[in-house]
Amino acid sequence: HLINTEFTLYTRFAYKEKYVSGDFERVSLGTKYPTLELALSTGLPGILGAQFEYQKVVFRIRDKVRFGPFGYAKLGIEAGKFWGDLPYPLLQLHQGNETFFYDESAFNTMNFFEFVSDEWTSASISYHLEGLFFNKLPLLRKLKWREVISAKGVIGNYNQTNDDILIRPENTYVLTKPFFEGAIGIENIFKVLRVDGLWRLSYLDNPNIVKFGIRAKIQIDF
């Protein structure tokens, strides 16, 4: 039985970002510059019965780089760290995905709760070719399908003293080397569908994993 109270300060900086504003919300149209995000968190022991005192920092950089007729790339980098001993459910349980739906924010060949860290760095890139090769084939050009290639990776550390509070399950591991996965996909199928074939490239000896999988998602790009 774990009780935790956390206070977080979050800020986001997007230089020259354009957006459309309505009565109740605003929609970002993006910026040609990198977007920066910073979250600072602290545990508040004793508040509402909380048990843990710690500090956490998470920093993210997101960018979209265009290459003219050669398409564009979406880039993302995240780094984070905890100070203080915590049970593993309150640390960074890297986001896996065991469903058939593609999740851009998750590792789609990683199981749920498969890896945990208290210090980590992750990176992702997706390169959207916008028909660079498909447009050379008459049928695919007519269908307006688009190619996409992506890769993700994460490396982390874990202080074993965290296990003195709560022992990790046997199927929740520590990242002793980087985790990698790659994918090749087709987007703009029927204007709204994206389908990816994904390969898991590391930790291939872990039990009950998927080394290759197919994921799909509804995606509308402007």
Side-chain angles (χ1 to χ4, degrees), residues 159-178:
N159 192 332
Q160 298 294 334
T161 59
N162 295 312
D163 288 342
D164 295 337
I165 302 174
L166 185 65
I167 298 176
R168 287 176 289 117
E170 292 183 357
N171 59 349
T172 299
Y173 304 96
V174 175
L175 287 163
T176 57
K177 60 183 180 180

Side-chain angles (χ1 to χ4, degrees), residues 72-78 102-109 122-129 148-154 179-185 194 196-202:
Y72 65 92
K74 291 182 178 179
L75 310 171
I77 298 175
E78 178 181 287
Y102 183 80
D103 186 345
E104 285 195 82
S105 62
F107 293 92
N108 289 278
T109 59
S122 63
S124 65
I125 179 172
S126 60
Y127 179 29
H128 303 255
L129 283 75
V148 58
I149 303 171
S150 61
K152 297 179 181 178
V154 60
F179 176 94
F180 290 114
E181 67 178 19
I184 298 176
R194 171 175 169 175
D196 284 74
L198 300 112
W199 289 265
R200 179 169 169 145
L201 304 176
S202 58

Side-chain angles (χ1 to χ4, degrees), residues 17-18 26-27 34 52 65 74 89 95 102 169 200 215:
E17 182 179 36
K18 296 179 180 180
R26 66 180 188 179
V27 178
F52 306 104
V65 182
K74 291 182 178 179
Q95 187 173 350
Y102 183 80
R200 179 169 169 145
R215 304 285 186 269

